[in-house]
Amino acid sequence: MKHVLKIMALLVAISAFWIGLLETSVVPRSYAWLLPIYLIVSLGCYGLLMVGIGLMLFPTCPQEAVLLQKDIAEAKEFLKNKGVDVGSD
């Protein structure tokens, strides 16, 4: 619930800032109307950046890969004993 309140407070603050820019003549009106679009595009770029960094830094786990291959071989053997065709190795 606290997370939702933080998000709502941030949205209210951004909206108040945007309305303030629209009401005052600090930023030309033609630019101020585009600020929400710029915000959405910026958040999308940030999200893609975070996904890319997460993929680059994704840890490899060679021990877990060996265990997984062992589990797969074990499951294939179990299924073969039960009479299920699991294909070729």
Side-chain angles (χ1 to χ4, degrees):
M1 187 64 174
K2 292 179 183 179
H3 193 64
V4 172
L5 291 176
K6 287 180 186 177
I7 292 172
M8 292 300 291
L10 183 64
L11 287 175
V12 167
I14 290 172
S15 298
F17 179 72
W18 182 55
I19 290 171
L21 285 176
L22 285 175
E23 293 300 319
T24 61
S25 296
V26 175
V27 177
R29 200 172 268 279
S30 61
Y31 296 141
W33 281 108
L34 295 174
L35 286 178
I37 295 171
Y38 292 151
L39 178 68
I40 291 170
V41 170
S42 298
L43 288 175
C45 290
Y46 174 76
L48 286 174
L49 177 71
M50 290 295 107
V51 168
I53 289 173
L55 286 174
M56 286 190 308
L57 300 178
F58 190 77
T60 56
C61 305
Q63 308 92 339
E64 296 298 323
V66 170
L67 289 174
L68 182 60
Q69 291 296 327
K70 192 185 299 182
D71 286 345
I72 290 171
E74 195 176 297
K76 282 184 178 181
E77 187 63 36
F78 175 78
L79 290 173
K80 281 182 187 175
N81 290 339
K82 295 291 184 179
V84 177
D85 183 26
V86 291
S88 62
D89 290 325

